[in-house]
Amino acid sequence: MLKHRRIRILLVLLASWAATAGVERFRGELPWLTAAAHALPWAALVAFVWWFAEWTQVRRRHPVDR
């Protein structure tokens, strides 16, 4: 797994943008530029959800002694 969170988020953004643009292009029968423009907000939403999921799973470096 990639060590750096920023790179993982960027890869998620790019992959989801490409996948969503492809779906918009072939299912919606839109030109590539329009499909890419429509896919960008959805890709940003997917990347944000991914970031939030990783952020909520961060463990403490020094656990509290019980």
Side-chain angles (χ1 to χ4, degrees):
M1 191 65 159
L2 292 172
K3 184 177 180 181
H4 301 286
R5 183 180 304 150
R6 290 178 185 160
I7 294 173
R8 284 193 308 264
I9 300 300
L10 180 63
L11 289 176
V12 167
L13 176 68
L14 292 175
S16 62
W17 188 26
T20 308
V23 169
E24 287 279 341
R25 168 70 175 106
F26 294 111
R27 286 292 188 177
E29 299 178 1
L30 298 174
W32 275 111
L33 289 177
T34 306
H38 286 182
L40 188 58
W42 290 108
L45 178 66
V46 169
F48 173 75
V49 169
W50 185 281
W51 170 84
F52 186 76
E54 279 194 355
W55 180 69
T56 57
Q57 299 299 317
V58 172
R59 294 186 180 106
R60 294 181 183 176
R61 290 183 185 258
H62 304 290
V64 177
D65 293 332
R66 293 182 184 194

